[in-house]
Amino acid sequence: MKKVYILCFTFFIMFNAKLEARLWRDIVNTVSSIIEEAPFDVKEQGMYMRAMDPSHISMLDIEIPKEMFEEYSIDKEMFLGVNMDEMKKIIYRAKPTDVLIINAEESRIYLTFVGDSKRKFGLPLIDVLEKRTKLPEIPFTATIKLSSEIFQDGIKDASVVADHITFEARKDAFYIRAQGDTSDIETVNEKDSLIEYDLKEEARATFNLSYLSDISKSIYGEMTIKLGTDVPLMLEFEIDKAKVKFILAPRVERE
Amino acid sequence: MKKVYILCFTFFIMFNAKLEARLWRDIVNTVSSIIEEAPFDVKEQGMYMRAMDPSHISMLDIEIPKEMFEEYSIDKEMFLGVNMDEMKKIIYRAKPTDVLIINAEESRIYLTFVGDSKRKFGLPLIDVLEKRTKLPEIPFTATIKLSSEIFQDGIKDASVVADHITFEARKDAFYIRAQGDTSDIETVNEKDSLIEYDLKEEARATFNLSYLSDISKSIYGEMTIKLGTDVPLMLEFEIDKAKVKFILAPRVERE
Amino acid sequence: MKKVYILCFTFFIMFNAKLEARLWRDIVNTVSSIIEEAPFDVKEQGMYMRAMDPSHISMLDIEIPKEMFEEYSIDKEMFLGVNMDEMKKIIYRAKPTDVLIINAEESRIYLTFVGDSKRKFGLPLIDVLEKRTKLPEIPFTATIKLSSEIFQDGIKDASVVADHITFEARKDAFYIRAQGDTSDIETVNEKDSLIEYDLKEEARATFNLSYLSDISKSIYGEMTIKLGTDVPLMLEFEIDKAKVKFILAPRVERE
């Protein structure tokens, strides 16, 4: 009978969490904008996700502390590999006031929306080969805290004229520029229009727009841009109590 | 001169009806979601439409009683064959407060929108070969009256994971389930969350989603689902004073 | 040194204008609906644009008087050739309350949106070969001033059944008609439902719908239709203080 007992055991719930469905939707939106197959590390203190996009140009790092959940309990630490496209389609079926219960067994994760009714979606856990990589150390020389609206406008303005964007932190102001084949755009953000502006050294780098455009849709309120000259950029922002870091490699001009 | 007289006579109006344009739009939406060429029987007591969809998997039956119209007069009983795509494009040109006058001659039907202006659309009557078929007798064992919202949520939830849906009426509750290649969904609707729940015998059947998805967009307020095991399902709902029945064949698993 | 001096001079700003960005957006929408490469004549008294669409079936004429601008100054009269697609993409980046500053140098035009931030878009001036043509003299016999809503409804109604539209000014009323392969539409606008109705002689002409549909989206409030029998039609309307004339050749039936 031992074999049967073991088989049963694998179907015990090993992770159980409860939070507002809309908060999880914001997390899913952010992850799915960059990552196709996401490795969620479920630990005592919360959930962690760090991965590179399929082309390895950008990295996303999210810490979702236990405190963001109404309830949070784990039987053992788990590693949940999730197809973000499927998760996204499901989370969009939540109603605005639904509470979400997340469970996981050995091979399956369940999202249960609890509102007027109880609707339980199951989806398979997948193998995500990628090992949890370290966050790279980048020699940033400028840290700019600003309203996400300025950043998003810059992204959208640049998208009208080009497929890349240049950020430049100078003594007096933070510049957002794009130069297309024919049209160009320059936005000047004076120091005073920024929340914080910490400049060790002037910084300037150019990036492909598509990644920034995707991630920018997840950012509300305040955000931080860390910039150096021709090094990756880091965006930091929060989704409720979750901390999000996004790193993007610069565009290198080929000679 | 007799020949001329007869020719003239064929252009006399033989059917004249008046109602709020938005009510006719709801009827047209419902019919056009299933039926391409609709046979409307115009009788003393009202209009009747019964037809199968082009693939003969579903049947739609509508009774529009005289009382739904502000005015309703017929010179003789008529059979109006209408291309629902054309009718739909026209009815969407109505303004929210327009009154609609429907006339028909021998070979043409007219929709006149009366509001600030008078706009008269004419479209040809077409031959609809189909004979008025009988409503089939189906051995239903469960009758479930519920808010259309529960039904529509079930359809949409299922659509996220699969292309078919299973309804199951058990003693305790009405289950909506779908099983896709990887993901699945189960909604449990306790007896108490339903308006009426009349169960002679447990019932269970599976249906293609596309027809249900199309018809579900026409349903507001309360509706009735009649269910048996592996037999067709019947949906009943009302559009103002019109009574709508929709029958759908179950999906049969091939071995 | 003279050569260098001339080169420098070419980069001086030679035209500077300021107005609400939303007003310029309305102008751009109207022009771009008909004209791909627009020749703007910048003169002391204002800006002028007159051009034919690429297929030479219609002509658009716009006068934007100096008074429509908050500020308006020119160093010398200029001819600005603008790709309207690019201009349109840029003007849509304006925020509802932005003020727009338009500058031009010898070879480039700049749109600067001034709101919470200052965002400066540059786009190249292009060669527009077309000479400023005269407005043709057309023997109109009917002048109809009406609410643009009646006109727009007529256009949309006709689009449902056909790809052309017939306007007919008769003693009693202004008729809008369209006859498709199967369906047809007739709208009767009694004299009393029109703002002004000046009829020298009954008029009737048929037009392709696509041009009318494009231009109709730019018209708000009152407008004037000038009509003759089988001659071009002229629409006149205003965008703030700017005066717009649109001329369209009639559809000639081939035998």
Side-chain angles (χ1 to χ4, degrees):
Chain A
M1 289 294 285
K2 203 182 168 204
K3 208 173 174 186
V4 172
Y5 176 78
I6 289 165
L7 275 170
C8 283
F9 186 75
T10 62
F11 287 89
F12 279 13
I13 284 165
M14 287 182 288
F15 164 56
N16 187 76
K18 184 173 165 185
L19 80 173
E20 290 176 56
R22 61 170 190 84
L23 290 181
W24 190 249
R25 196 192 56 204
D26 289 348
I27 298 281
V28 168
N29 267 338
T30 305
V31 177
S32 68
S33 72
I34 303 294
I35 309 294
E36 287 178 7
E37 306 196 331
F40 286 93
D41 258 347
V42 181
K43 307 210 170 200
E44 284 289 346
Q45 292 311 312
M47 292 173 82
Y48 301 85
M49 200 298 299
R50 182 185 296 160
M52 288 201 275
D53 75 273
S55 67
H56 287 222
I57 285 171
S58 71
M59 180 184 274
L60 186 68
D61 175 88
I62 303 192
E63 290 184 31
I64 313 165
K66 202 175 156 175
E67 289 72 30
M68 187 158 157
F69 298 88
E70 288 174 33
E71 290 170 19
Y72 187 89
S73 66
I74 66 172
D75 285 352
K76 66 163 193 175
E77 300 203 340
M78 290 186 82
F79 184 82
L80 309 177
V82 178
N83 178 309
M84 291 310 296
D85 264 0
E86 293 208 36
M87 174 80 90
K88 189 175 179 177
K89 275 191 260 165
I90 289 170
I91 193 70
Y92 268 85
R93 292 297 308 140
K95 292 169 185 284
T97 56
D98 274 358
V99 164
L100 167 65
I101 294 168
I102 305 176
N103 303 132
E105 303 162 349
E106 196 68 44
S107 67
R108 217 158 168 78
I109 184 169
Y110 295 97
L111 303 187
T112 308
F113 300 123
V114 184
D116 293 333
S117 59
K118 215 171 183 167
R119 297 141 63 211
K120 183 173 188 174
F121 286 86
L123 72 168
L125 294 173
I126 56 174
D127 285 336
V128 179
L129 288 176
E130 192 170 359
K131 277 278 168 198
R132 188 167 154 89
T133 46
K134 275 200 169 179
L135 276 182
E137 287 193 26
I138 303 164
F140 301 119
T141 64
T143 300
I144 303 133
K145 195 167 176 183
L146 75 176
S147 146
S148 61
E149 219 185 310
I150 295 176
F151 176 73
Q152 285 156 343
D153 275 337
I155 300 294
K156 285 187 197 152
D157 285 349
S159 302
V160 166
V161 302
D163 60 0
H164 57 275
I165 191 169
T166 301
F167 296 109
E168 185 168 353
R170 287 209 224 154
K171 265 180 204 159
D172 54 329
F174 174 54
Y175 291 78
I176 301 176
R177 288 206 191 85
Q179 172 70 52
D181 290 338
T182 56
S183 307
D184 59 71
I185 163 76
E186 179 182 272
T187 309
V188 184
N189 301 284
E190 311 282 347
K191 263 169 96 167
D192 296 347
S193 69
L194 306 165
I195 301 169
E196 279 177 36
Y197 194 65
D198 177 14
L199 190 77
K200 286 194 190 99
E201 207 174 289
E202 296 201 339
R204 184 178 193 281
T206 298
F207 303 91
N208 282 320
L209 264 168
S210 61
Y211 291 90
L212 289 170
S213 177
D214 289 345
I215 197 81
S216 76
K217 287 162 194 154
S218 298
I219 313 179
Y220 294 91
E222 298 181 359
M223 64 179 291
T224 299
I225 302 175
K226 291 187 176 176
L227 205 65
T229 293
D230 291 334
V231 299
L233 145 160
M234 186 190 277
L235 306 181
E236 291 178 2
F237 57 97
E238 288 176 14
I239 298 172
D240 195 71
K241 294 194 176 77
K243 286 180 197 325
V244 185
K245 286 186 175 67
F246 173 73
I247 297 171
L248 179 64
R251 183 180 146 126
V252 181
E253 301 297 337
R254 290 191 191 153
E255 310 253 339
Chain B
M1 291 295 288
K2 201 180 169 208
K3 207 172 173 188
V4 172
Y5 176 79
I6 289 165
L7 275 170
C8 284
F9 186 75
T10 61
F11 289 90
F12 281 11
I13 284 166
M14 289 182 288
F15 165 55
N16 185 76
K18 184 173 164 184
L19 81 172
E20 288 176 57
R22 60 170 191 85
L23 290 180
W24 190 251
R25 197 192 54 206
D26 289 348
I27 298 282
V28 168
N29 268 338
T30 304
V31 177
S32 68
S33 73
I34 302 296
I35 309 295
E36 287 178 9
E37 305 196 332
F40 286 93
D41 257 348
V42 181
K43 307 210 172 201
E44 284 288 346
Q45 292 310 311
M47 293 173 80
Y48 301 85
M49 200 299 300
R50 182 184 296 159
M52 288 201 276
D53 75 273
S55 66
H56 287 220
I57 285 171
S58 69
M59 180 185 272
L60 186 67
D61 175 87
I62 302 193
E63 290 184 31
I64 313 165
K66 202 175 155 174
E67 290 70 29
M68 187 159 157
F69 298 87
E70 289 173 33
E71 293 170 17
Y72 186 89
S73 66
I74 67 172
D75 284 352
K76 64 164 195 174
E77 299 203 339
M78 289 185 82
F79 184 81
L80 308 177
V82 177
N83 178 308
M84 292 311 294
D85 265 358
E86 294 208 36
M87 174 79 91
K88 188 175 178 178
K89 276 191 258 165
I90 289 170
I91 194 69
Y92 267 85
R93 291 297 308 140
K95 292 168 185 284
T97 57
D98 274 358
V99 165
L100 168 65
I101 294 169
I102 305 176
N103 304 131
E105 302 161 350
E106 194 69 41
S107 67
R108 215 156 170 80
I109 185 168
Y110 295 97
L111 303 186
T112 308
F113 300 125
V114 185
D116 292 332
S117 59
K118 215 171 184 166
R119 297 143 61 213
K120 183 172 188 175
F121 286 87
L123 74 168
L125 293 173
I126 55 175
D127 285 337
V128 178
L129 287 176
E130 192 171 357
K131 278 276 170 200
R132 190 167 153 88
T133 46
K134 273 200 170 180
L135 275 183
E137 287 192 26
I138 304 164
F140 301 119
T141 64
T143 300
I144 303 134
K145 195 167 176 183
L146 75 175
S147 145
S148 60
E149 219 185 312
I150 293 177
F151 177 72
Q152 285 156 345
D153 275 337
I155 300 294
K156 286 188 197 153
D157 285 348
S159 302
V160 166
V161 303
D163 59 359
H164 56 275
I165 190 169
T166 301
F167 297 109
E168 184 167 356
R170 287 210 224 153
K171 265 181 204 157
D172 54 331
F174 174 54
Y175 292 78
I176 302 176
R177 288 204 191 87
Q179 173 68 53
D181 291 337
T182 56
S183 306
D184 60 72
I185 163 76
E186 179 181 272
T187 307
V188 185
N189 302 283
E190 311 282 346
K191 261 168 99 167
D192 295 345
S193 68
L194 306 166
I195 301 168
E196 281 177 34
Y197 194 66
D198 177 14
L199 190 76
K200 287 194 191 98
E201 206 174 290
E202 296 200 341
R204 185 179 192 282
T206 297
F207 303 91
N208 282 319
L209 265 170
S210 61
Y211 290 90
L212 289 170
S213 178
D214 289 344
I215 198 79
S216 77
K217 287 163 194 155
S218 298
I219 314 178
Y220 295 90
E222 297 181 0
M223 63 179 290
T224 299
I225 302 175
K226 292 186 175 176
L227 204 66
T229 293
D230 293 333
V231 299
L233 144 162
M234 185 190 278
L235 305 183
E236 291 178 0
F237 56 97
E238 287 176 16
I239 298 173
D240 194 74
K241 295 195 176 75
K243 286 183 196 323
V244 186
K245 286 186 173 70
F246 173 74
I247 296 171
L248 179 64
R251 185 181 144 125
V252 181
E253 300 297 335
R254 289 186 193 159
E255 310 252 338
Chain C
M1 291 295 285
K2 203 179 168 207
K3 209 173 172 187
V4 173
Y5 177 78
I6 289 165
L7 276 170
C8 284
F9 185 75
T10 61
F11 288 89
F12 281 12
I13 284 165
M14 288 181 286
F15 164 57
N16 187 77
K18 185 173 164 183
L19 80 173
E20 288 175 57
R22 59 170 191 85
L23 290 181
W24 190 249
R25 196 192 55 205
D26 289 348
I27 298 283
V28 168
N29 267 339
T30 305
V31 176
S32 68
S33 73
I34 303 293
I35 309 295
E36 288 179 8
E37 306 196 332
F40 286 93
D41 258 346
V42 181
K43 307 209 171 201
E44 283 289 346
Q45 291 310 312
M47 292 174 80
Y48 302 85
M49 201 296 301
R50 182 184 298 157
M52 289 202 274
D53 75 273
S55 67
H56 288 221
I57 285 171
S58 70
M59 180 185 273
L60 186 67
D61 174 89
I62 303 193
E63 290 183 31
I64 314 166
K66 203 174 153 175
E67 290 70 30
M68 188 160 158
F69 298 89
E70 289 174 32
E71 290 170 19
Y72 187 87
S73 65
I74 66 172
D75 285 353
K76 64 164 194 173
E77 301 202 339
M78 291 186 82
F79 184 82
L80 309 177
V82 177
N83 178 308
M84 291 311 295
D85 265 0
E86 293 208 37
M87 175 79 91
K88 189 176 178 178
K89 276 191 257 164
I90 289 171
I91 194 70
Y92 268 84
R93 290 299 306 140
K95 292 169 184 282
T97 58
D98 275 356
V99 165
L100 167 65
I101 295 169
I102 305 177
N103 304 130
E105 302 161 351
E106 194 69 42
S107 67
R108 218 159 167 80
I109 184 169
Y110 295 97
L111 304 186
T112 307
F113 300 124
V114 184
D116 292 334
S117 60
K118 216 171 183 167
R119 297 143 62 211
K120 184 172 187 174
F121 287 87
L123 73 166
L125 294 173
I126 55 176
D127 286 336
V128 179
L129 288 176
E130 194 171 357
K131 277 278 168 197
R132 190 167 155 88
T133 46
K134 275 199 168 180
L135 277 182
E137 286 193 25
I138 304 163
F140 300 120
T141 64
T143 300
I144 303 133
K145 195 168 175 181
L146 75 175
S147 146
S148 60
E149 219 185 312
I150 294 177
F151 176 73
Q152 284 156 345
D153 275 338
I155 300 294
K156 285 188 198 151
D157 286 349
S159 302
V160 165
V161 302
D163 59 1
H164 56 274
I165 190 170
T166 301
F167 296 110
E168 184 168 354
R170 287 210 223 154
K171 267 182 202 157
D172 55 328
F174 173 55
Y175 291 79
I176 302 176
R177 288 204 191 85
Q179 173 69 52
D181 290 338
T182 56
S183 306
D184 59 72
I185 163 75
E186 177 181 274
T187 309
V188 185
N189 302 283
E190 311 282 346
K191 260 168 99 168
D192 295 347
S193 69
L194 306 166
I195 301 169
E196 280 176 36
Y197 193 65
D198 178 14
L199 190 76
K200 287 194 191 97
E201 208 175 289
E202 295 201 339
R204 184 178 193 282
T206 297
F207 303 91
N208 281 321
L209 264 169
S210 61
Y211 290 90
L212 289 170
S213 178
D214 289 343
I215 197 80
S216 77
K217 287 162 194 156
S218 297
I219 313 179
Y220 294 92
E222 298 181 358
M223 64 179 291
T224 300
I225 303 176
K226 292 185 176 177
L227 205 65
T229 292
D230 292 334
V231 298
L233 144 159
M234 187 189 277
L235 306 182
E236 291 179 1
F237 57 97
E238 286 176 16
I239 298 174
D240 195 72
K241 295 193 176 77
K243 286 180 196 325
V244 186
K245 288 187 173 70
F246 173 75
I247 297 171
L248 179 64
R251 184 180 144 127
V252 181
E253 300 298 336
R254 293 193 188 150
E255 310 250 341

